[in-house]
Amino acid sequence: MRVLTSLVVLVAAAWFFYPLYPYPFEGIRLKLGLDLKGGVHLVLRVNTDDALRLDTETTMEQLRETVDGKGISSAVFTVMPPMQFKVEGIPQNQDGAFREAANEVQASYNRESGVGGTYTFTMKPNVVVQLREDAVTQARQTIERRVNELGVAEPVIAQTGTNNDQIIVELPGITEVARAEEIIRSTALLELKIVEDGPAGTKENLLQSRSGAIPNNMEVVPGVGDSSQRGERAETVFYLVRKVAVVTGRDLRNAKPTIDETGRPAVSFSLNQDGARKFGKATGENIGRRLAIILDGRVQSAPNIESRITDEGRISGGAFTQQEVQDLSLVLRSGALPASLTYLEKNTVGPTLGADSIRSGVIASAVGLLLIMLFMLVYYKLSGINAIVVLCFNLTILLGLMAYLGATMTLPGIAGFVLTMGIGVDSNVLIFERIKEELAAKRGVRQALDAGFSRVFLTLLDTHIASLISAAFLFQFGTGPIRGFATTLSIGLVANLFTSTFVSKTIFELVLSGRKVQTLSI
C-alpha cells in the first residue's frame, strides 16, 4: 500500500506538470511570472482628490435643485475643489427655507454661515477618509476587470504606498505595452445628456443668445463635428447641454464593437433595467431634440431623438479605428474609474531577459542538484541513492502541485526551489544520522530504520511547520516576487515532509523486504 500510494502521488504530480491529454505534447502547465515570461510592471497613483471633487460638485448640484424648487433664485453656488462649496446671496427672509433645504447635505458636510447670506459647506473628515479609500478600492477593482478582459494570465494587482493610494500592476506576457497602459488609464466616463443648444464653432457663438452666460443647470462641452459631410477629420465644436445626465456608464449592461450606418466602426451599448427606464422616459419627453453622447467630457456624437428609446444606444462619429472601438467596448464593460490615475513607475521586462533568467535558474538548480547527489553518494554510500530518489520525488511533486494549484513560478520562486532542495537534503541527513546512531548502538537494521524515522519525525514536523508559518506571513504581506518565493517554499515544504518521512522509508522497506540483512550501507 505504501508503494502504491507513493507511485500514485508521483504519477499524478508528473501528469499535472506535463499532461499528455487533453493537450498532447503542448508542454508544461506551470505558469511563469513576470520576471521569467516578460511583460510590464506599473505603479499608479489614484488621484483621490478627483473623487472628492466629483462628490462635492454632485452634492452642490443636488442642493441647487432643491433650493431652486423652494424659489430661492438669487443663490449663487461656487465650487471650491476638492471638498468645499459656497452659497452666496441668500435673502434674509428666505434664510430659514435655505437652512431647511441644506439639512439634506449635512450628513456629509459641515455648514458654516457667514455675512450677507453666505454659507460654506466643507466635507467632514470621516467622509473624506472613506471617499479616498473607496476611490482606491474601486480603481483597483476596475483595473482588475479591465486586465481580465485583456486576457492576461496571472496578473498581479495590489494596493500599496504610504497612504495606500497606489496600485501595482504586473502583466506577464504583455507585448502591447502602450495599448495596455491606455486601457488601464482610460477613465471611460460615459454620460448621455440632453442638448439645449449647438453645435457651434466657438463658445462665444454658442452662448450669444444667452448674453455670453452659461445657465446654472447647464454646461458647455466640446465635441467633434460631423466629419462624414465634409470628408475630412472633424474640427472641435461646442454643445450646451444639461448638467444632469439622463444615464451614465453605471447604467450600462453591456458594450460591444459594431458598425454604424455609414460603415464606420462604432460601439453599441445596452442598458440595465433602471437605466432603460430612465432613458425611455427622457427620450420620450424630448423627441426631436439632440442627445449628446459624452465620453470622458467630450461629445462623441449628438443624434436627434426620433422616437422613444429604451435599452440600447450607439457611440459613433468619433473617427474611431477598429482597435479603438474594441478597447472602448472593453473599458465601458469594466466600468469607469472613480478618479484619474498617474503613472509613477513603468518597467518593461523583455522576453529575452526572462529566457536568460530561466536558463540561469535551471543551470543553478541543476548544478546544485548534481553536487547534492554527489555528496549523498559519497557520504551515505548506497543509502545515498535513496536520498537522491526521494529528492527527485520531492521536486516532481513540487512542480506538479504548483501546476495543479495554478501557482506562478517567479525568479524568487526558483530561489525557493533551490532552498527546498537544501531542506530536503537536511531532512535526509537528520534521518540517516539517527539511523547510524542506532546501528552504532548494535541495533538491528529494521529496528534502526524504525527508530531513525520515528524519532526524527517530530523534529521535522516542528521545523516544517515553523517554516510554513513564516512562508504564510511572506505570502500575506508580500507582493508578486515575494509571494512567488513563499508559494514555492510552502509547496516544497509539504512535498518534502511527505517524501522524507513516507517515501524514503517506503524505499528502505521495499529494498529490505524478503531479505535477511545484517548491515546497511549508510
Side-chain angles (χ1 to χ4, degrees), residues 135-157:
V136 179
T137 302
Q138 290 173 24
R140 178 179 55 76
Q141 292 171 343
T142 301
I143 291 172
E144 284 177 350
R145 288 194 292 270
R146 292 181 182 182
V147 169
N148 289 337
E149 290 265 0
L150 279 172
V152 179
E154 290 299 307
V156 174
I157 302 167

Side-chain angles (χ1 to χ4, degrees), residues 338-358:
S340 61
L341 302 174
T342 300
Y343 282 103
L344 301 179
E345 184 181 336
K346 182 182 75 174
N347 293 319
T348 303
V349 181
T352 304
L353 180 59
D356 290 343
S357 300
I358 295 175

Side-chain angles (χ1 to χ4, degrees), residues 9-201:
V9 172
L10 178 66
V11 172
W15 183 272
F16 290 138
F17 176 65
Y18 198 107
L20 299 180
Y21 178 84
Y23 307 108
F25 311 111
E26 286 194 359
I28 64 174
R29 291 180 61 183
L30 189 63
K31 295 177 180 175
L32 302 179
L34 179 69
D35 45 5
L36 298 180
K37 193 175 182 179
V40 63
H41 168 91
L42 305 169
V43 180
L44 308 99
R45 173 181 289 129
V46 181
N47 301 315
T48 53
D49 279 359
D50 291 350
L52 302 184
R53 184 182 300 108
L54 179 62
D55 187 89
T56 303
E57 292 174 351
T58 303
T59 302
M60 189 191 75
E61 289 303 322
Q62 290 172 344
L63 181 59
R64 187 206 301 271
E65 288 185 4
T66 305
V67 168
D68 286 346
K70 290 182 176 292
I72 310 175
S73 56
S74 60
V76 177
F77 289 75
T78 307
V79 173
M80 297 185 291
M83 61 185 81
Q84 281 187 327
F85 66 91
K86 181 185 287 186
V87 184
E88 299 172 287
I90 304 297
Q92 191 171 4
N93 60 345
Q94 293 180 308
D95 189 70
F98 175 79
R99 286 172 176 269
E100 183 183 352
N103 286 337
E104 66 182 36
V105 304
Q106 287 192 213
S108 302
Y109 288 80
N110 291 319
R111 185 181 68 194
E112 184 180 349
S113 58
V115 296
T118 300
Y119 291 90
T120 301
F121 293 83
T122 304
M123 193 177 291
K124 294 181 177 178
N126 62 320
V127 178
V128 172
V129 172
Q130 188 63 48
L131 280 177
R132 290 191 190 279
E133 290 177 354
D134 290 348
V136 179
T137 302
Q138 290 173 24
R140 178 179 55 76
Q141 292 171 343
T142 301
I143 291 172
E144 284 177 350
R145 288 194 292 270
R146 292 181 182 182
V147 169
N148 289 337
E149 290 265 0
L150 279 172
V152 179
E154 290 299 307
V156 174
I157 302 167
Q159 291 178 222
T160 185
T162 307
N163 298 320
N164 206 30
D165 61 347
Q166 298 175 16
I167 299 176
I168 292 176
V169 181
E170 291 187 350
L171 307 175
I174 279 288
T175 55
E176 297 177 283
V177 178
R179 181 188 172 215
E181 285 184 58
E182 186 60 33
I183 289 175
I184 290 172
R185 183 170 52 187
S186 176
T187 305
L189 176 59
L190 178 67
E191 298 170 295
L192 276 63
K193 298 182 176 179
I194 299 297
V195 176
E196 292 293 336
D197 205 352

Side-chain angles (χ1 to χ4, degrees), residues 241-294:
V241 302
R242 295 181 187 175
K243 275 190 177 178
V244 179
V246 174
V247 294
T248 67
R250 293 180 180 178
D251 300 305
L252 283 187
R253 185 180 62 192
N254 195 14
K256 59 185 178 182
T258 187
I259 301 293
D260 66 12
E261 60 274 2
T262 63
R264 295 180 302 182
V267 176
S268 66
F269 60 84
S270 57
L271 301 171
N272 57 30
Q273 188 174 4
D274 187 49
R277 180 186 56 76
K278 291 186 290 186
F279 199 40
K281 181 175 183 295
T283 53
E285 294 173 350
N286 292 280
I287 292 175
R289 307 185 67 173
R290 281 176 174 259
L291 177 71
I293 301 175
I294 304 170

